[in-house]
Each structure stands twice: as structure tokens, then as C-alpha cells.
Amino acid sequence: MSTGEIEAGEARISEPPSTLKEFLSYMGPAWVFTASQIGGGEVLSVPLGGAYLGMEGIWLIPLITFTKIFGQYYLVRYGVMTGDTFLDALYEKGWWLKWIFYYVFLGGIIYAIGLSGHLGETAGAFNHLVPAIPTNVWMIGTVLAGLGIVGLRSYGLIEKIATSLLWIFLVLIAFVSLSTVDVWGPNLASGLVPSIPGRVEGLGVGGMAFILTMFGWIGAGFGPTVSYVWFAKDKVMGMFEPLDKGYDIDKYDLSDEEIHRLKGWGDIVLWQNLLSSAILATFSFFMWTAAAATLHVEGIQPSGFTVIPEMANIFTTQFGEWSATLFLLTTVAALFSTLIGPLYGMSRLWEDAFALHGVFDNYNITRDTTFRLTIVLFSAIPLALNLFIEAPLILFALSGALFAPVIGLMYLAVMYMSFEIDIDSLSPVRTWAVALAIFAGVVMIVSGVWEARSSLQTIQTLLGL
């Protein structure tokens, strides 16, 4: 079927969820994003903050999570309102915006470099559980498992796995944090007062540089943010629904009722992102306080592959061997969700980018083949880096530094494009949300430029250049 006319008795755009149960049935994209982010910046960077600083600097968590989320909200909202992903829309613009398309596209490779941090920590935790098997073997096994799951090209499977892993890890880290509240509780009030934190050697930064680094690592990151848009597309929300059904439809072909329904879907995306942000903030708070109550008290300052195992060792002394084993198992689960979620989303991005360039029309290659070749590439890069350069956090920091600016550019570009939707009721209407999205975009550009310099210097030192 390919028509812009509404068939009798058939709605091209469904009513948005009106009950809590219906709303939760559409939370899948947000769950996958949240699971991907928790296994990324939060697991690797937040414990370092708690370990080195104690409760100092914990005020950054609510500030960052509840500002960055609005830039991401508008990225997803744009697709739901128009049926075009922001990448497709950028490609159709003039070169003053189109270059961001190629920046995002190449970001797949740089993000794959950052995945070395997730892969290294996952394998390190596995090795701590079963020392008889070398870390390198665990890395290879983890990559093969990820390829096996993502290669099925099933968004539904990714959603189920990521959601399950997310909630298991959240429950555990909440238990650990609340069990140590007598240690960190007395310092909570002072930690929530804005101040310039001290130096965190595990990240090689301190002061304002630490704040900017946290802006790049906590909350919406490059891979999960970009992937979220494709999760919403595969969930066929809003304008993605009629296109998925085969209708040739655009924004000028909408009835008043369909416009009203699209506005409702835009609100659903907002609530998705707010709930996701609340979960990220809660998890980050628990992770920071758990590290502050254990690692910081013992004077342990982890780095490299040792972040998660060092936390597990402390839990052993605090609660017994069972808690360390449980912590490692759930941490591995969270880190693994970070590997599979963005691996799926970034490969979908590349697949659509090749389609825009006519690859599938002009060459004898299918979308499925391209997708699977891409996930192999994005898996091979972090595996090769970890086998030859044992510096996962440095590579993760370098990746974040190089593409923190593109997150900011995406936020600002999509705000511009959102106001180009010349149906007033579909353009952004919440002034406060627009202001927060623009603020997040500017800060991400500044933080990326700031962090890139120190990360590149660290890489030069590591390589002896």
C-alpha cells in the first residue's frame, strides 16, 4: 500500500499510550538507551569519582543527567514528528549542516574505539570471577557472544536483554549503596553543595577539567544517544508508524486528528527521556556513594582494568564473598548491555547512511549483509586495541573527547531543524526545555574540546611520542 489517503476505518497514526501499562510497553527504546549508558560512562567513570573524591562533587550527577537529556529528547522527538531520522534530515541540508552527517557517520569508528573500555572492563570482571581463564580469552568470548546476539538483527531481543540486565544491576547497586549509608550519609549534604572537585588521577584531570569530563561521560553519550533514534524507529512510534505500514505520507498530508496524535507521541518521548534521566541519576548516585563508602574509605584509587575488581574486593570485606560475586556478575551484565545496544544502533545508522548514498540500489549487496559486516568491524576495533594496548579507560576517554563535540552539534542542529517544521503545533513549544537543550549542546562542545587536548596528551605519553 502506498497512498497518502486515509482508508475508511483505518488510522495511519495510532493514539499515543494513555495508561501507565500502555506507556511502559513503549519504554523499550528508553530502557535500551539507559542500559547502554549505565554500562558505559556511569560504570567506568562514576566509581572513579567516588573512589578519589568521596562525596565531593556528587552534585554533578543531577546537574548533568537532567540537562543533557533534553538535547537527546529533541533528537528522538524530531524523528517521531517527521518520520525522518536526524541523520536523514542532515543529509538533505546544505553543506553548512551536511558535514555533521559525515561527522556522525565516522563517529561509528571512533565510538568503536571507546568500546574498548567496556570490553576491557567486562573481560576484567570475568577474569576476576574465573582467574584460570585469561582476560584476552574472555574478551574474545565476549565479542563472539555480542556478535551472536546483535547479528540476529532483532530489536525485540536487544530490548528484552538490555531491560533485564538494567533492572538486575539497579537493584544490586541500590542494595550496596543503602547498606553503606552510615558511611556516606553524613557527608551527603556537603557533597551536594557545588564546588570545584580535586584531582582524579584515574582520569588524569581535576578541577574544571574534571567537571567537563563528567559532562562528557555521565548521561547521554554518543553511541547510546545516536542509537536511541533507531530504537524509536524500530519501535515504530509516531510518524514512523505510517511509513512502516507503507504509506507515502509527509507532514503536509496530516489531518488535524493525526497532528494531535503526533503531539501526544512527542509528549511520550519527553516522559521516556525524563524517566530514563531519573534512572541514570539514581543509578549514578548509588554507584558514586557505594565507591565513596568502600574504595575511598580504604584509600584505593583504581584505574585500567581494575575499577570493577577493586570494588568487588571491597564488597568482599564489607559483606562477604557472595556479594562480590553477585556484584561482578551483574556488572558484567550491565557492561555487556552497553556493548550490544550501541553495536546494534550504530550499525543501523551505517546501514541507513549507505542507503542514502545509493549503495543498495547500485551494488549487489543487501542491507542485512551490510549490517552484519558493520557489527563485525565495530567489534574487531575494540578487540584489537585491547589485545595490543591495555589502556581501556584512556581509549574510552579519547573516544568521548573526540565525539563529545558532535553530541553538542547534533543537539544544536536538531533544534534548528525542529523549528523548521512549519506546522506550528509540531515545533518545540516548551521554552525551558529548548533552553536546556541548547545549554547542553554548548557545554558538550566545550567539554569535548577541553577533554580532547588532555586525552591526546595522555595517548602521546602512553605511546612514548
Side-chain angles (χ1 to χ4, degrees), residues 219-237:
F222 177 72
T225 295
V226 172
S227 299
Y228 193 163
V229 180
W230 271 263
F231 298 153
K233 181 178 181 179
D234 287 351
K235 196 71 174 179
V236 292
M237 297 167 58

Side-chain angles (χ1 to χ4, degrees), residues 96-120:
W96 68 284
L97 273 181
K98 189 174 182 177
W99 68 273
I100 302 177
F101 166 92
Y102 292 102
Y103 194 173
V104 175
F105 174 77
L106 292 175
I109 295 177
I110 304 301
Y111 186 73
I113 294 174
L115 286 178
S116 61
H118 313 309
L119 178 60

